[in-house]
Amino acid sequence: MGKGKLAKFADLASYPHVFEYPYSVVDNVPFEMKGKWGESFFKNDHPIVLELGCGRGEYTVGLGRLFPEKNFIGVDIKGARMWSGATESLRSGMTNVAFLRTNIEIIDRFFATDEISEIWLTFSDPQMKKPTKRLSSSFFLERYRKFLKDGGLVHLKTDSNFLYTYTRLLIEENHLPVQVQTDDLYHSGQADEILSIQTYYEQQWLDRGLNIKYIKFALPKEGTLIEPDVEIEMDDYRSYNRSKRSGLQTAK
């Protein structure tokens, strides 16, 4: 029998590479490692990469294995999910992986100017009715600018045609430099070792015959970001653990 939530949270509290600062405590507890992740935790000056909305942490752990010369931090508020990646990386003795349990809306409180080199957004909730909650929105990109290096990379990997289209239009509206863009990753010839890391939910999307979309773009610090003023067709299927998007059944 697997561990329950309480046992998983107890584990996380004891893990040396997991930091927990949800809304409920962040205002009362200063985050002293801001600007010092490399020096204080990783003990090196290697580039630091974030996975925002890391879920079970498959990408954070997978990237950590592929790139021992980089440091990776998975961020999510769902501790019971994060436990999987945190436990795997701890048991594997990985020293270039950490996890931060917090609300992504306050992500800029934990990292200093130019401290982060890249950001991964893997299967984020598309938030079709709430533009400011989309992790690729100008609202969040402005937050990322506070700690992402000038021209640092943002990766979006998603099942959602809505989120992919929205992000593509935002990039076009703001003339952001695009390095890779495809609406069918695994039939594009561009699914290299990095992009082929598959999360728990991605495997289920693929089983249902959905195309995986991917965009990699650079985020310069200069310029005012503008939201695309266009209506986008909403996804017509139900997504796991999100509000209902249609009657298409999820796997049992």
Side-chain angles (χ1 to χ4, degrees):
M1 181 180 293
K3 286 197 174 187
K5 283 188 176 182
L6 291 180
K8 289 179 178 180
F9 275 108
D11 282 348
L12 291 180
S14 70
Y15 287 175
H17 65 319
V18 175
F19 303 86
E20 300 187 86
Y21 286 81
Y23 268 135
S24 57
V25 302
V26 73
D27 287 332
N28 300 316
V29 181
F31 192 72
E32 297 179 352
M33 208 156 58
K34 180 177 181 178
K36 301 177 182 177
W37 281 90
E39 173 188 349
S40 299
F41 178 75
F42 292 113
K43 309 297 183 183
N44 59 52
D45 59 358
H46 299 168
I48 300 176
V49 181
L50 299 186
E51 183 192 3
L52 301 181
C54 69
R56 299 185 179 203
E58 296 103 325
Y59 246 88
T60 299
V61 174
L63 290 171
R65 288 196 172 112
L66 286 174
F67 299 100
E69 73 281 6
K70 294 182 180 181
N71 301 316
F72 297 88
I73 304 173
V75 183
D76 209 304
I77 192 60
K78 301 289 187 179
R81 294 181 190 172
M82 181 185 290
W83 177 88
S84 297
T87 300
E88 182 178 349
S89 57
L90 182 66
R91 290 175 178 172
S92 298
M94 300 179 72
T95 59
N96 66 330
V97 169
F99 289 89
L100 172 64
R101 190 174 78 84
T102 193
N103 305 80
I104 298 176
E105 290 85 350
I106 55 173
I107 190 64
D108 51 306
R109 300 190 189 189
F110 301 94
F111 303 100
T113 302
D114 296 337
E115 192 168 16
I116 303 302
S117 296
E118 296 181 49
I119 292 173
W120 280 84
L121 308 175
T122 49
F123 299 92
S124 310
D125 189 324
Q127 297 286 353
M128 292 185 288
K129 296 183 179 180
K130 301 175 182 178
T132 59
K133 288 186 174 292
R134 296 169 198 157
L135 295 188
S136 58
S137 68
S138 60
F139 177 84
F140 276 101
L141 292 183
E142 288 291 3
R143 276 166 167 68
Y144 306 156
R145 278 175 159 179
K146 295 179 181 179
F147 53 78
L148 187 65
K149 291 183 177 180
D150 190 19
L153 296 176
V154 178
H155 306 257
L156 173 76
K157 192 178 183 187
T158 182
D159 62 281
S160 169
N161 188 64
F162 177 91
L163 185 60
Y164 172 79
T165 302
Y166 165 79
T167 305
R168 178 178 58 78
L169 293 173
L170 185 145
I171 289 170
E172 291 175 1
E173 181 72 30
N174 293 282
H175 308 289
L176 301 178
V178 176
Q179 294 192 7
V180 180
Q181 178 176 300
T182 175
D183 61 2
D184 189 359
L185 176 62
Y186 294 114
H187 294 96
S188 68
Q190 301 183 78
D192 58 15
E193 189 175 19
I194 303 170
L195 293 173
S196 295
I197 298 172
Q198 292 180 6
T199 70
Y200 170 79
Y201 291 111
E202 178 178 0
Q203 291 169 2
Q204 295 189 49
W205 298 132
L206 290 169
D207 289 344
R208 291 166 65 183
L210 296 174
N211 290 345
I212 303 302
K213 295 87 174 168
Y214 173 70
I215 302 178
K216 177 168 68 171
F217 64 97
L219 182 60
K221 287 185 181 292
E222 293 186 356
T224 301
L225 296 174
I226 301 170
E227 284 287 310
D229 185 17
V230 62
E231 287 215 17
I232 303 171
E233 183 179 359
M234 291 193 176
D235 297 332
D236 60 356
Y237 61 94
R238 182 183 174 90
S239 185
Y240 299 95
N241 296 319
R242 300 173 191 159
S243 58
K244 188 171 182 180
R245 285 148 75 177
S246 88
L248 182 61
Q249 296 297 309
T250 58
K252 298 294 186 182

